[in-house]
Amino acid sequence: PRKIISYSERARLCSHPVTRKLLTLMEEKRTNLTVSVDLTAAAEVISMVDKVGPYVCMIKTHVDIIEDFSQDFVRKLTDLAVKHNFIIFEDRKFADIGNTVMQQYSGGMYRIADWANITNAHTLPGSGVIQGLKQIGLQKERGCLLIAEMSSSGNLCSGDYTKETVKIAEGNKDFVIGFICQSAISDDPEFLHITPGVQLSSRKDQMGQNYVTPREVILNHKSDVIIVGRGIIKAEDPVVAAKAYMEAGYSAYMERMS
Ligand code: BMP
């Protein structure tokens, strides 16, 4: 694989504050691991985040699966983001017209734009989804990832859809900071490539999820960040697992740099 520049050198090339912060802390903490904390009780999420926080660059949430979501949960999560120095990514996957996503992003009971540094969107509706999210996100210095590819069997995000998604990103660099994808799809160093569907052992789950290893993702598929959910949160010891994924992901990055 072609030699790459370090996360911290890349941080200096980036103009978006969230990308700069993420790339900088990845090098400081020596981690390219995001843990997807897909648990349904607020206290369980908080306890898991406190445990794995030292080993991650980012925590990914699905707040709409939490049964007892509250602003108290948000306060605890944002406090932990300061304590452990990580970025918060709410995996909301916005996919509607601009006027609707604008309200979904800023309002409702979750008020995602108030606390999530990063959220994401499908490009199915066209660039209007980004125009809507931007109305809220720009002034709060938030970043958005576009879902360019998916890890699940039979998904329709491929070919021209993926190419058009890259074009939408290129036209909105003040807000779009990269992609959810399975491998690098843009040469622009300002765009992050973030990959879910990662495990060290399993190859699949029972509902179409496909897994690749941290090494394959970072070294062969040239992605920047791995997202791991059940491989860590359902492990016998999530801290031991988080350390193993952190080590696997970062050593693959070091190997790519050498
Ligand atoms: P797990 O590692 O337990 O399979 O979890 C993967 C996480 O990443 C889930 O939260 C899922 O919603 C998300 N995800 C994914 O698995 N594939 C995609 O293509 C996009 C995702 O956001």
Side-chain angles (χ1 to χ4, degrees):
R2 167 171 67 84
K3 254 195 164 182
I4 52 161
I5 58 168
S6 69
Y7 293 139
S8 59
E9 281 173 87
R10 244 173 92 188
R12 271 176 250 127
L13 301 175
C14 293
S15 49
H16 199 289
V18 174
T19 318
R20 292 174 78 108
K21 183 169 180 202
L22 180 62
L23 288 167
T24 304
L25 77 86
M26 284 167 69
E27 187 120 334
E28 276 169 18
K29 288 177 80 176
R30 301 178 64 82
T31 179
N32 50 28
L33 171 66
T34 293
V35 176
S36 184
V37 188
D38 300 336
L39 299 167
T40 55
E44 277 179 27
V45 176
I46 293 302
S47 151
M48 183 63 70
V49 171
D50 202 14
K51 276 187 208 153
V52 302
Y55 315 108
V56 304
C57 58
M58 193 151 67
I59 287 289
K60 184 171 87 60
T61 53
H62 278 302
V63 282
D64 55 359
I65 69 172
I66 298 176
E67 285 151 9
D68 53 345
F69 177 89
S70 67
Q71 288 307 313
D72 178 59
F73 166 81
V74 168
R75 255 185 314 274
K76 287 177 174 148
L77 180 65
T78 50
D79 283 353
L80 287 175
V82 174
K83 177 180 171 190
H84 296 301
N85 192 25
F86 59 76
I87 296 285
I88 301 172
F89 166 24
E90 164 56 23
D91 187 4
R92 173 63 179 75
K93 296 189 178 71
F94 291 102
D96 212 321
I97 60 166
N99 184 60
T100 298
V101 298
M102 191 175 79
Q103 297 176 78
Q104 290 172 320
Y105 186 31
S106 61
M109 64 184 279
Y110 301 115
R111 308 189 70 85
I112 293 165
D114 286 348
W115 52 268
N117 307 103
I118 298 177
T119 191
N120 56 354
H122 283 295
T123 51
L124 188 71
S127 62
V129 62
I130 307 307
Q131 302 319 312
L133 294 172
K134 253 194 204 187
Q135 295 292 312
I136 306 297
L138 273 189
Q139 70 224 29
K140 294 179 188 282
E141 292 202 332
R142 301 311 188 196
C144 184
L145 298 166
L146 300 185
I147 299 151
E149 293 174 329
M150 292 194 75
S151 59
S152 44
S153 296
N155 77 79
L156 306 177
C157 308
S158 59
D160 286 345
Y161 185 96
T162 303
K163 289 200 193 93
E164 290 301 320
T165 299
V166 174
K167 281 192 206 149
I168 294 176
E170 287 166 351
N172 292 277
K173 284 180 76 172
D174 51 349
F175 184 55
V176 175
I177 60 171
F179 307 98
I180 296 295
C181 54
Q182 290 298 299
S183 55
I185 52 175
S186 166
D187 286 330
D188 187 334
E190 291 202 55
F191 285 137
L192 299 163
H193 292 91
I194 301 188
T195 302
V198 179
Q199 266 201 23
L200 283 163
S201 46
S202 317
R203 307 301 301 163
K204 282 175 186 320
D205 74 1
Q206 305 306 307
M207 287 183 274
Q209 173 73 305
N210 300 301
Y211 292 113
V212 287
T213 64
R215 191 165 186 275
E216 284 173 277
V217 170
I218 301 294
L219 194 63
N220 305 336
H221 301 175
K222 301 177 172 64
S223 198
D224 300 309
V225 174
I226 55 172
I227 298 179
V228 181
R230 286 164 286 177
I232 291 174
I233 65 166
K234 298 296 179 194
E236 208 173 305
D237 187 336
V239 169
V240 170
K243 285 183 187 167
Y245 279 96
M246 171 188 176
E247 167 59 27
Y250 209 79
S251 62
Y253 158 70
M254 299 289 279
E255 195 176 332
R256 222 179 120 198
M257 289 244 293
S258 63

